[in-house]
């Protein structure tokens, strides 16, 4: 998100008679792993009196790393934050949190109905403990227990090492990609999303051909089919705006090693050598 453009869009909406009320920034986008500039966006929200939400479902766990938490500078100014520990931290599915600055029991005020057949108000304990009357779905599993157990087992330092290791392994994979013929980064990664093209021998040096992009877009689906049928690995791919299909490797599994990264690149070369 470009804060200056956000400011322009808000002003434009207001000039048209609309009332913008919320800005949703992202910390760790799904495909490219990008982090929005939260401090600058918070400034815009403050000037316009708007609710500032941060979707940190994917990237929120980076806060546990002293080395990399700067990617979320400004998140402390958010009105609400969404975080999914089941993603980068690999907590058991599903484990999601919505964190609110508001302390007025906002969720209950929005969703609570105090249905007498479920949430009796004359119980012997504090009825504010009935979380079911605060959420949209009423009944749900106790997500927080999964995070608590993992945190107790791994400790804060253990979870920090897991995140730092993911970043370090990402950097190793990126540097290996740069040294290999036929591999081309979509961009330098900001997170643990490594996006790249594998350019097979028949397309190397042919970037000027009018059908280059069309043919390159066919490479990832073909290699995905081959790897799945061989059972050797699973890598996602997708287009992005004007970009042709490219592979997206997420380096998050805490058991991954440099040998796995080497195997990944070697296997792509083997599967695509005749294309």
């Amino acid at each position: 998100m470009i804060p200056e453009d956000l400011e322009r869009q808000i002003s434009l909406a207001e000039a048209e008679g609309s009332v913008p009320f919320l800005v949703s920034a992202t910390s760790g986008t799904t495909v490219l792993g990008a982090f929005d500039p939260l401090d600058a966006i918070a400034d815009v929200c403050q000037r316009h009196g708007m609710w500032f939400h941060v979707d940190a479902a994917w990237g929120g766990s980076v806060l546990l790393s002293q080395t990399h938490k700067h990617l979320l500078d400004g998140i402390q100014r958010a009105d609400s934050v969404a975080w999914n520990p089941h993603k980068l931290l690999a907590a058991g599915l599903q484990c999601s949190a919505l964190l609110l600055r508001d302390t007025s029991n906002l969720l209950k005020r929005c969703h609570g109905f105090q249905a007498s057949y479920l949430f009796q108000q004359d119980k012997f304990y504090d009825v504010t403990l009935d979380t079911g009357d605060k959420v949209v779905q009423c009944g749900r599993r106790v997500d927080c227990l999964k995070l608590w157990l993992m945190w107790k087992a791994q400790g804060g330092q253990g979870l920090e090492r897991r995140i730092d290791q993911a970043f370090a392994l990402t950097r190793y994979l990126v540097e290996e990609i740069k040294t290999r013929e036929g591999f081309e980064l979509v961009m330098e990664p900001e997170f643990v999303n490594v996006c790249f093209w594998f350019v097979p021998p028949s397309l190397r040096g042919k970037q000027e051909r009018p059908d280059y992009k069309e043919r390159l877009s066919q490479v990832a689906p073909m290699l995905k089919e081959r790897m799945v049928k061989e059972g050797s690995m699973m890598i996602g791919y997708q287009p992005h705006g004007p970009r042709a299909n490219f592979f997206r490797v997420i380096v998050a599994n805490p058991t991954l090693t440099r040998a796995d990264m080497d195997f990944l690149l070697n296997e792509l070369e083997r599967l695509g050598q005749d294309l």
Side-chain angles (χ1 to χ4, degrees), residues 34-251:
F35 286 77
D36 285 336
L38 302 183
D39 255 331
I41 295 170
D43 289 341
V44 176
C45 291
Q46 188 172 336
R47 282 194 294 273
H48 292 270
M50 298 176 68
W51 185 281
F52 178 33
H53 175 73
V54 178
D55 177 355
W58 175 215
S61 298
V62 176
L63 280 174
L64 296 172
S65 167
Q66 294 299 313
T67 304
H68 302 287
K69 68 178 184 179
H70 63 89
L71 291 169
L72 293 105
D73 283 350
I75 197 170
Q76 72 279 2
R77 301 174 63 187
D79 295 296
S80 57
V81 175
W83 174 39
N84 287 356
H86 67 244
K87 292 182 176 175
L88 184 58
L89 291 183
L93 274 170
Q94 146 172 323
C95 186
S96 302
L98 175 64
L99 309 176
L100 297 171
R101 177 182 299 279
D102 183 276
T103 58
S104 67
N105 215 353
L106 180 62
L107 291 180
K108 187 175 181 66
R109 289 196 289 118
C110 289
H111 304 301
F113 197 68
Q114 298 181 7
S116 59
Y117 62 94
L118 286 176
F119 306 112
Q120 298 81 15
Q121 300 302 298
D122 55 355
K123 293 176 181 174
F124 68 92
Y125 59 80
D126 183 357
V127 294
T128 62
L129 298 174
D130 286 333
T131 57
D133 205 23
K134 300 178 182 179
V135 295
V136 176
Q137 64 267 55
C138 183
R140 62 180 297 174
R141 296 180 184 275
V142 188
D143 285 0
C144 60
L145 181 61
K146 305 168 190 175
L147 177 60
W148 183 84
L149 285 171
M150 183 178 67
W151 212 323
K152 291 289 284 186
Q154 298 284 334
Q157 292 181 341
L159 295 180
E160 181 178 14
R161 282 194 299 270
R162 179 179 291 190
I163 293 165
D164 290 344
Q165 168 66 11
F167 273 89
L169 207 54
T170 297
R171 180 45 47 189
Y172 174 80
L173 176 59
V174 168
E175 295 305 318
E176 283 296 304
I177 286 174
K178 290 178 180 179
T179 66
R180 297 203 184 205
E181 184 181 10
F183 288 87
E184 182 182 341
L185 283 171
V186 174
M187 61 173 55
E188 281 286 337
E190 192 174 11
F191 193 20
V192 295
N193 303 40
V194 182
C195 300
F196 63 92
W197 288 283
F198 175 72
V199 183
S202 66
L203 289 179
R204 292 172 193 170
K206 307 288 180 58
Q207 288 85 345
E208 302 304 319
R209 292 181 50 161
D211 63 344
Y212 176 80
K213 179 180 174 181
E214 179 183 352
R215 294 181 62 188
L216 182 61
S217 278
Q218 298 170 0
V219 173
M222 292 174 66
L223 290 180
K224 178 65 176 279
E225 179 182 356
R226 292 182 179 188
M227 68 178 74
V228 170
K229 288 182 174 178
E230 292 225 2
S232 58
M233 57 185 184
M234 288 276 281
I235 309 174
Y237 71 86
Q238 67 285 299
H240 189 270
R243 299 181 179 98
N245 280 325
F246 55 84
F247 286 112
R248 170 171 47 111
V249 173
I250 304 299
V251 187

